[in-house]
Amino acid sequence: MMTLATLTAPSAKPLLDWYDRHHRDLPWRVSPPMAKRGITAEPYHVWLSEVMLQQTTVPAVKPYFLNFLARWPTVGDLADAPNEDVMAAWAGLGYYARARNLKKCAEAVAREHGGVFPDTEEGLKALPGIGDYTAAAVAAIAFNRQASVMDGNIERVISRLYAISTPLPAAKPLMKQKVGALTPADRPGDFAQAMMDLGATICTPKRPACALCPFNGSCQALALHDPEHFPVKAAKKAKPVRKGAAFVAVTSDGDILLRRRIETGLLGGMTEVPTTGWTARVDGETSADAAPFAADWEPCGTVVHVFTHFELRLSIWRVAIPSALPSVDGWWEAVTNLHAQALPTVMKKAITSAIPLAFNHSKD
Ligand code: SF4
C-alpha cells in the first residue's frame, strides 16, 4: 500500500502520456499529436471557449461555441457584430458581463492588433475582460507559453497531489507555484489541458478514480487515504437575499412587453420584462403598485434565482390586456419571437411563471 514515505516526486510525464491516450475531443482543441508537431489551437477559438467555460460546464458551452463560430468565424467578424446580436446569442450562458467584455475584447484585437491576439500573458492581460486565468490559458494552449494555468479542476488535482491543507482562496498562490514548477517547457498547453481533463474525468470532487490516475504513485492525498478532504475550503457565508417584482403584460394578439436594461451593472444591456429594482428588503412581497402601468395585475408566484453574490426572490405579476399600449417604456414583442431576444435565465423563469408555455411556442 502506498504511504507518504514511498511516494515518488510528481512529474508531468505520466500525465502527458495519459493525456495522449485519454484526452477529451473538444471543438476548440487540437489533438495531442498535432500539438506535439507544434500545431497549436487557433487563439480566437481558445479565447472564446475559455471565456465561455468560466463558471459554465463543457456540455453547456459546446453548442454556444459552435453557434458563435458559425455566425462569427473570426475575431474581426465578432468585433463587427451588433451588440444586441452578441447578447442574444449569449443568452442562457449567464454571467453576462462576460459577453459585454467578449465584444470589447474582440474590438480591441481587431482594431488595435490587426485581428491578431497578443502571444504573451502580459499582452493578453492588457485586453478588456482578460484576467490572470484566461491570459495564462490562451498563452499556454494557443502559443505554447510556459504559463501556470489554474482553474477549479486544476486546483482540485494540485491540492490533492500535494495535500495542501491551507483553505481556499488563501491557498491559491501556493497552488499556482506548485503548478508552475510542474509545467513542462516543451508541452505547456497540453499539460494545462491534461490537468483540466484529469480533474474533470478522474480526479472528480467525489469518489476520484485514483486507480486510473497517472499521479497515483505520487499523490499525497491518496497516501493519506482521504482525497475528498482536498481542496480545503473556507466556510461559506449564506448569500444575502434581495427582493423585487417582475411584470408580465400580454396582449390578446400574443405580444409581451419587454425592456432593455441599462448597459452597466448586473445583466447590463440584456432584455427583461419590466421589473422593480432588486433591494435588500426581505419582508413581504413587492406589490403591484410598482407596475409599469395601472391595470388589474394578478400575482402568479415567486421566482428564486441565485446570482454569485445574492439570492433574488422575484414576485411575478401578470396582466392580459386587449391590445398594446403605445405609451409605456419598452416595446411589444411577439411571444413566438422570444427565442431571438437576449433574455437572461432569470427573465425566462419570470416569463415562464406567468406564461407556462411561452418558450414552447418559441423556436428554442
Ligand atoms: S491519485 Fe486520486 S486524488 Fe490523487 S490526483 Fe489522482 S485521482 Fe486525484
Side-chain angles (χ1 to χ4, degrees):
M1 183 174 286
M2 190 67 63
T3 67
L4 284 174
T6 58
L7 290 180
T8 56
S11 98
K13 170 115 184 19
L15 177 72
L16 289 169
D17 291 346
W18 172 85
Y19 182 67
D20 289 345
R21 292 193 303 277
H22 299 294
H23 60 89
R24 291 178 294 176
D25 283 321
L26 301 174
W28 44 85
R29 280 188 178 174
V30 298
S31 61
M34 286 166 74
K36 281 202 271 191
R37 292 204 302 273
I39 300 166
T40 47
E42 167 62 44
Y44 173 51
H45 298 183
V46 178
W47 163 73
L48 183 60
S49 65
E50 289 299 343
V51 175
M52 288 182 166
L53 284 164
Q54 289 162 26
Q55 321 275 350
T56 312
T57 62
V58 165
V61 162
K62 273 187 188 172
Y64 282 87
F65 175 81
L66 294 172
N67 181 42
F68 264 64
L69 271 202
R71 294 185 67 175
W72 304 297
T74 69
V75 69
D77 297 325
L78 185 58
D80 291 341
N83 266 331
E84 311 77 65
D85 289 2
V86 174
M87 298 307 276
W90 190 275
L93 264 185
Y95 300 93
Y96 294 92
R98 290 182 300 166
R100 291 194 295 279
N101 283 328
L102 190 83
K103 183 71 170 57
K104 283 189 203 142
C105 184
E107 288 167 3
V109 172
R111 294 181 191 144
E112 293 158 30
H113 298 271
V116 178
F117 278 86
D119 65 359
T120 62
E121 275 184 270
E122 292 68 33
L124 288 159
K125 260 197 276 191
L127 293 168
I130 295 197
D132 290 348
Y133 167 74
T134 308
V138 176
I141 298 168
F143 299 113
N144 248 343
R145 297 275 181 187
Q146 201 177 0
S148 306
V149 183
M150 296 295 304
D151 72 355
N153 281 324
I154 298 177
E155 281 175 3
R156 184 167 58 258
V157 174
I158 210 77
S159 70
R160 290 174 176 176
L161 195 52
Y162 294 96
I164 293 173
S165 54
T166 308
L168 279 168
K172 283 185 185 233
L174 175 61
M175 291 181 178
K176 190 159 181 161
Q177 184 198 324
K178 297 283 189 196
V179 167
L182 209 50
T183 302
D186 57 342
R187 296 177 65 189
D190 280 352
F191 176 80
Q193 293 174 106
M195 290 286 276
M196 293 172 189
D197 283 13
L198 191 76
T201 63
I202 301 283
C203 193
T204 46
K206 298 271 175 237
R207 305 183 58 170
C210 299
L212 304 175
C213 178
F215 284 139
N216 62 14
S218 46
C219 178
Q220 295 188 26
L222 177 59
L224 292 168
H225 309 291
D226 199 6
E228 288 184 27
H229 177 71
F230 303 94
V232 180
K233 292 185 176 151
K236 271 193 185 165
K237 285 193 222 137
K239 291 195 184 200
V241 173
R242 294 193 198 172
K243 287 198 159 193
F247 300 93
V248 181
V250 194
T251 69
S252 304
D253 295 334
D255 290 339
I256 182 170
L257 179 60
L258 298 179
R259 293 193 315 201
R260 199 164 139 76
R261 293 178 67 82
I262 57 169
E263 284 298 327
T264 50
L266 187 68
L267 307 178
M270 302 295 291
T271 303
E272 65 174 11
V273 292
T275 73
T276 60
W278 302 339
T279 69
R281 223 165 53 76
V282 291
D283 56 316
E285 286 210 332
T286 307
S287 79
D289 296 346
F293 55 86
D296 212 1
W297 294 92
E298 53 177 278
C300 49
T302 300
V303 158
V304 177
H305 189 79
V306 180
F307 291 97
T308 316
H309 300 300
F310 67 94
E311 177 185 304
L312 175 66
R313 295 183 196 160
L314 266 188
S315 310
I316 310 299
W317 297 83
R318 169 180 62 192
V319 71
I321 55 175
S323 57
L325 303 173
S327 55
V328 294
D329 183 25
W331 73 93
W332 296 86
E333 186 70 54
V335 170
T336 51
N337 199 34
L338 284 175
H339 68 278
Q341 308 304 311
L343 286 161
T345 302
V346 62
M347 287 301 146
K348 288 183 177 169
K349 286 186 191 172
I351 293 170
T352 305
S353 170
I355 315 171
L357 298 178
F359 291 91
N360 290 31
H361 295 313
S362 218
K363 279 186 195 156
D364 69 355

